[in-house]
């Protein structure tokens, strides 16, 4: 019985090491949950990301979790990035969530689907310090239903994943 406990412990520890090593290039990965009543047009998801290098290229990815009752095949987002010195950059991003046949893109289980939308790949930030990413929905609905979470992931580009 002791051998079984010991073997199980070793397997669990090895599993944790493998899982944690897979994301060693991740700088930031966070989600904001959208209220059940819908994502109001005036509601903003804000993410603060600390950038430590101006030489390192980064990948910035928008993560969208939608429910199967989301009525559209895409999601327009307005993204505003504010640098540590206060310079602002604004973008409009079309997040495609379903293919032409209406099948949800990305992974999912039950009625929840997760799409990873590349926003900026291999970008080098001009300054080090805290950047603010502000995201609002740009659809025509005042209270957009069917979006469960909005997330932001920043990872070091060119980091080998094991």
């Amino acid at each position: 019985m002791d051998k079984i406990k010991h073997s199980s412990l070793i397997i669990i520890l090895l599993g944790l090491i493998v899982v944690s090593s897979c994301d060693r290039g991740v700088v930031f990965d966070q989600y904001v949950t959208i209220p059940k009543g819908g994502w109001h047009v005036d509601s903003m998801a804000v993410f603060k990301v600390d950038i430590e290098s101006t030489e390192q290229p980064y990948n910035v990815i928008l993560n969208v979790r939608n429910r199967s009752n989301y009525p559209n095949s895409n999601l327009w987002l307005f993204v505003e990035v504010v640098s540590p010195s206060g310079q602002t950059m604004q973008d409009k991003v079309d997040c495609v969530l379903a293919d032409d046949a209406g099948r949800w893109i990305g992974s999912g289980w039950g009625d929840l689907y997760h799409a990873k939308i590349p926003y900026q790949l291999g970008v080098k930030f001009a300054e080090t310090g805290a950047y603010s990413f502000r995201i609002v929905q740009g659809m025509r609905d005042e209270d957009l239903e069917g979006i469960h979470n909005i997330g932001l992931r920043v990872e070091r580009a060119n980091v080998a994943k094991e």
Side-chain angles (χ1 to χ4, degrees):
M1 188 69 167
D2 262 347
K3 277 189 165 188
I4 293 173
K5 285 183 181 178
H6 184 66
S7 297
S8 296
L9 182 61
I10 290 173
I11 290 171
I12 291 171
L13 288 174
L14 287 174
L16 290 172
I17 290 169
V18 168
V19 169
S20 66
S21 69
C22 291
D23 277 350
R24 70 175 197 216
V26 174
V27 173
F28 183 87
D29 194 3
Q30 192 176 75
Y31 289 84
V32 170
T33 300
I34 304 301
K36 291 185 190 246
W39 190 0
H40 192 273
V41 71
D42 292 334
S43 183
M44 180 182 298
V46 179
F47 303 96
K48 297 209 183 280
V49 181
D50 190 35
I51 299 298
E52 296 179 352
S53 172
T54 58
E55 297 300 316
Q56 169 69 50
Y58 296 92
N59 294 330
V60 181
I61 297 150
L62 301 172
N63 290 310
V64 179
R65 288 185 182 142
N66 66 286
R67 299 233 177 254
S68 59
N69 68 344
Y70 182 65
N72 306 300
S73 63
N74 72 328
L75 171 65
W76 281 100
L77 296 177
F78 296 115
V79 180
E80 181 180 78
V81 182
V82 182
S83 74
S85 65
Q87 291 184 334
T88 302
M89 180 192 75
Q90 295 179 338
D91 272 325
K92 184 166 63 170
V93 181
D94 183 13
C95 303
V96 177
L97 303 178
D99 64 16
D100 291 339
R103 291 182 298 256
W104 298 113
I105 294 172
S107 60
W109 66 95
D111 77 333
L112 190 62
Y113 296 88
H114 179 207
K116 298 177 181 181
I117 312 298
Y119 172 54
Q120 295 179 331
L121 302 178
V123 66
K124 289 185 178 182
F125 289 90
E127 309 172 47
T128 59
Y131 281 78
S132 180
F133 289 78
R134 301 172 182 169
I135 303 172
V136 296
Q137 62 101 342
M139 302 299 281
R140 295 175 191 249
D141 300 32
E142 188 162 319
D143 288 304
L144 184 63
E145 293 188 27
I147 299 297
H148 187 264
N149 300 96
I150 292 297
L152 182 76
R153 179 180 175 101
V154 178
E155 57 191 22
R156 288 187 281 291
N158 306 325
V159 173
K161 293 188 179 180
E162 299 173 359

